[in-house]
Structure formats: C-alpha cells, structure tokens
Amino acid sequence: AQSVTQPDIHITVSEGASLELRCNYSYGATPYLFWYVQSPGQGLQLLLKYFSGDTLVQGIKGFEAEFKRSQSSFNLRKPSVHWSDAAEYFCAVGPNTGNQFYFGTGTSLTVIP
Amino acid sequence: NAGVMQNPRHLVRRRGQEARLRCSPMKGHSHVYWYRQLPEEGLKFMVYLQKENIIDESGMPKERFSAEFPKEGPSILRIQQVVRGDSAAYFCASSPEVADTQYFGPGTRLTVL
C-alpha cells in the first residue's frame, strides 16, 4: 500500500539556522515526489518535485530535496531559514501511472527570532 | 495565467443543508482532483475527474457526496444533508496531464453548524 510518513509533527528552528524536514514513502513503483508548503488559511504551493534524473532537486525559496531510493526518503532542506518560512510542509507521492497523490500528515515549522 | 480558483472560500451550512463547492482549473488543464483536509491532518484524495467523466472516486464517501466536471463551467463538489463531520477544508487541484504536477486552489473551508 502506498503511504507517506512525515515523522516530525512539529519543528522549531531559529532564524538563520539550517532545516531538514523528513519524508519517507512506501510505493510500489518508481514514485513522483513532491513537497508543498501551506501557510495558514491558504492553499498548497508547490516547492519542488522529483520525477527522474538528478536526485538532488532545487526548488523555490531556496529549498532543495534529495531523493534516496535506498532509504525511500525525500527529505527537504534549507541552509538558512527565514521567519517567512514558518508554515506547514507536506510531502506527497504521486503516480507515474494512475491518479492519486498520497500526502503525509505534514510538519509544522515554527521559526523563532 | 490565473491559478486554480475555488469558491466560495468559506461556507457555513446547518446540518441537513446542501453544500456546493466550485473549482475552476488552470487554463489548459483538463484534469481535476478534489481533496479533503481535516484539522491536524494531511490531504485525503476524494475524486479525480476529467471533462464530463469521473475517473476515480475511490476516496469519496458513497453517500451524500457527488462530483461533476461538465463540458462547460467549473467542477462541482456537492455534499447533500451535511453533518458536523463534513466540516473541513476542501481543496481542488488541476493538472495538464494525468500523473503530472497538481496545482492547488486556495480551498473552501466548510463549517457545519
């Protein structure tokens, strides 16, 4: 069965510190992988995606993520967090065939001055 | 290029009433997806539609819920005889092709009194 696990429900980091949000997936085929960000009361904005090729992908707002097939992981990173990065982050697995996206339960990021 | 549009943004209904949620996909996108987000949870897939066709409704409750995507006009998610448990944020996404990146609307927040 397909699933996405985000082990960290909530993370607090200081502004300027580095960030890593974890995502593990279970998927029967080669997955498409996504990270979305959701600000309070807003929709989801695509940060980055991985379909194939280079396993280190760059996204918007200075984020990057690395696909590690051996670990079934797609962790999101940012070298220096800004206060405006405080939001909810969702990892998603999508089909290379079929229709559904499977979302993790999200990681809430708090940034302290 | 306008993004995915959803209206209304907020909807309040009393138990037993009907809720109609609308979604206009991005220009050029013919694939529409509906998701439900309960508080403190990730997004759960409900239904996937193409123009005039329901492709996958495996995530939609069998009763009271229906969806359509007519040849002309927006996609509609309809909830009949709403109950308090239907209170949630409902997100629509669209994509240009199947198994492609999904772009999300701002959501409709349904509150059932």
Side-chain angles (χ1 to χ4, degrees):
Chain A
Q2 296 88 346
S3 66
V4 179
T5 302
Q6 293 181 246
D8 304 305
I9 296 173
H10 188 247
I11 285 182
T12 299
V13 298
S14 298
E15 191 168 15
S18 63
L19 172 70
E20 182 170 28
L21 303 182
R22 296 183 290 166
C23 173
N24 295 95
Y25 66 89
S26 172
Y27 199 76
T30 302
Y32 292 171
L33 297 159
F34 304 81
W35 275 99
Y36 287 88
V37 61
Q38 184 182 32
S39 297
Q42 302 298 313
L44 278 73
Q45 181 182 21
L46 179 68
L47 280 176
L48 48 79
K49 61 186 179 184
Y50 171 78
F51 281 9
S52 64
D54 192 348
T55 56
L56 183 64
V57 294
Q58 302 297 321
I60 63 171
K61 304 184 180 185
F63 285 93
E64 66 178 25
E66 186 171 12
F67 170 52
K68 293 185 177 179
R69 185 187 301 275
S70 61
Q71 299 176 20
S72 297
S73 69
F74 189 57
N75 294 349
L76 181 72
R77 300 194 294 252
K78 186 169 184 178
S80 178
V81 171
H82 188 263
W83 64 266
S84 61
D85 294 325
E88 190 87 16
Y89 291 80
F90 291 97
C91 180
V93 172
N96 50 17
T97 59
N99 316 312
Q100 294 189 28
F101 273 30
Y102 296 89
F103 282 83
T105 51
T107 297
S108 177
L109 175 65
T110 297
V111 181
I112 56 177
Chain B
N1 186 14
V4 178
M5 310 287 285
Q6 288 188 250
N7 68 81
R9 294 290 304 277
H10 299 273
L11 183 61
V12 179
R13 286 289 178 265
R14 297 190 180 279
R15 281 179 297 170
Q17 291 183 320
E18 178 180 285
R20 279 181 176 248
L21 288 62
R22 295 175 186 79
C23 169
S24 296
M26 287 180 70
K27 186 176 181 180
H29 289 194
S30 59
H31 304 262
V32 167
Y33 311 80
W34 285 94
Y35 293 83
R36 177 164 61 177
Q37 184 181 33
L38 294 170
E40 309 299 324
E41 294 188 14
L43 277 71
K44 301 291 188 202
F45 169 81
M46 298 180 74
V47 62
Y48 161 49
L49 309 103
Q50 294 180 24
K51 282 287 188 182
E52 300 185 275
N53 288 301
I54 296 174
I55 308 301
D56 181 352
E57 56 183 347
S58 59
M60 201 150 70
K62 294 289 188 286
E63 298 178 353
R64 302 189 298 108
F65 286 73
S66 62
E68 62 178 14
F69 189 16
K71 187 176 181 180
E72 301 291 336
S75 175
I76 306 286
L77 178 68
R78 182 182 178 206
I79 312 172
Q80 295 178 290
Q81 299 176 317
V82 296
V83 300
R84 289 222 173 103
D86 297 331
S87 294
Y90 292 83
F91 289 94
C92 169
S94 72
S95 67
E97 301 290 343
V98 67
D100 202 342
T101 302
Q102 294 183 14
Y103 296 88
F104 284 81
T108 294
R109 281 149 182 83
L110 172 65
T111 300
V112 180
L113 302 177

